[in-house]
Amino acid sequence: DIQMTQSPSTLSASVGDRVTITCRASQTINNWLAWYQQKPGKAPKVLIYKASSLEYGVPSRFSGSGSGTEFTLTISSLEPDDIATYYCQHYNNFLYSFGQGTKLEIK
Amino acid sequence: QDQLQESGPGLVKPSQTLSLTCTVSGDSISNGAYYWSWIRQPAGKGLEWIGRISPTGSTKYNPSLKSRVTISVETSKNQFSLKLSSVTAADTAVYYCARGRMVTSFFDYWGQGTLVTVSS
């Protein structure tokens, strides 16, 4: 099985900062990699799919990149509304797997 | 715009079977462009994919749960269901149903989630 490892587990940043979250796969994977934002008590919301495609309606300050075993989610300028937990998700061989999550806090 | 709504008992006794239903509105569950999944999240922890079903009834399950999981679809009611047998306290979680796009393999619509507690 392919394991997805996110880093960091917790991230503290200031409004206006550029923020980067990394998702590493235990082996080279295809680009079926998505990023989700989850706020407390709510279902996750997709931000990025196919590694770098921005889902409709998601602010352009969110972007995704990467290939092979390393993928990143970047928030170009952190806003207070971005405080949430972020998850990567991979699809391979008919199975889905999630990273363990990165909790983003305001400094 | 699709809406998904989970329903079922919020309390299940240990060793019994957890049963949940997801009702889909706004689109037909028979739409061949999507898979229909169950995902769970224990309190304070991450997301775990349980399994999915296609409109034709083809299923795939998380290997760690495969022996206890059954997902079925009832297209006439626009619903799909989850059964998880022999539950323990470790199965206590918020359970989400979600729509997954077949081609691009991500979840674009989610239910609000329902808390299921396993306790005697």
Side-chain angles (χ1 to χ4, degrees):
Chain A
D1 292 354
I2 298 175
Q3 305 301 317
M4 309 301 293
T5 303
Q6 285 182 234
S7 60
S9 296
T10 305
L11 178 57
S12 184
S14 300
V15 172
D17 282 355
R18 182 181 183 87
V19 171
T20 298
I21 298 169
T22 298
C23 184
R24 289 186 175 87
S26 56
Q27 59 186 274
T28 298
I29 63 173
N30 54 41
N31 282 356
W32 301 127
L33 193 287
W35 290 96
Y36 299 84
Q37 176 192 68
Q38 187 181 33
K39 297 184 178 181
K42 299 294 186 181
K45 169 191 169 185
V46 64
L47 303 172
I48 302 289
Y49 64 94
K50 204 178 178 184
S52 60
S53 296
L54 189 69
E55 172 69 337
Y56 179 79
V58 174
S60 59
R61 64 180 180 275
F62 292 93
S63 64
S65 64
S67 64
T69 61
E70 187 163 320
F71 298 82
T72 59
L73 172 71
T74 299
I75 307 173
S76 60
S77 180
L78 187 66
E79 295 193 4
D81 189 53
D82 300 335
I83 298 313
T85 300
Y86 293 83
Y87 294 92
C88 61
Q89 171 252 311
H90 174 57
Y91 177 78
N92 179 65
N93 197 26
F94 305 106
L95 304 177
Y96 301 86
S97 59
F98 291 92
Q100 80 277 17
T102 295
K103 186 175 183 179
L104 179 54
E105 300 172 336
I106 289 286
K107 191 182 292 183
Chain B
Q1 180 172 338
D2 273 27
Q3 291 188 336
L4 290 80
Q5 178 68 57
E6 305 89 352
S7 60
L11 180 64
V12 181
K13 288 182 167 52
S15 80
Q16 293 191 342
T17 296
L18 177 161
S19 296
L20 295 173
T21 296
C22 182
T23 301
V24 179
S25 58
D27 192 9
S28 170
I29 205 169
S30 299
N31 186 324
Y34 307 110
Y35 291 127
W36 305 92
S37 280
W38 287 97
I39 297 160
R40 69 180 184 179
Q41 185 173 37
K45 296 187 178 181
L47 300 161
E48 180 180 36
W49 176 73
I50 299 170
R52 65 89 168 148
I53 192 165
S54 75
T56 60
S58 170
T59 54
K60 291 292 182 183
Y61 301 129
N62 186 324
S64 67
L65 298 168
K66 186 176 181 178
S67 63
R68 299 194 292 131
V69 174
T70 302
I71 297 176
S72 58
V73 64
E74 190 158 359
T75 53
S76 63
K77 294 184 178 180
N78 230 35
Q79 294 176 335
F80 64 106
S81 298
L82 168 70
K83 292 188 185 299
L84 181 65
S85 64
S86 305
V87 297
T88 69
D91 295 309
T92 295
V94 174
Y95 285 75
Y96 295 100
C97 57
R99 188 182 85 169
R101 294 192 192 174
M102 279 191 186
V103 174
T104 42
S105 306
F106 68 96
F107 304 106
D108 58 358
Y109 284 100
W110 297 63
Q112 64 185 22
T114 187
L115 174 62
V116 179
T117 301
V118 178
S119 175
S120 56

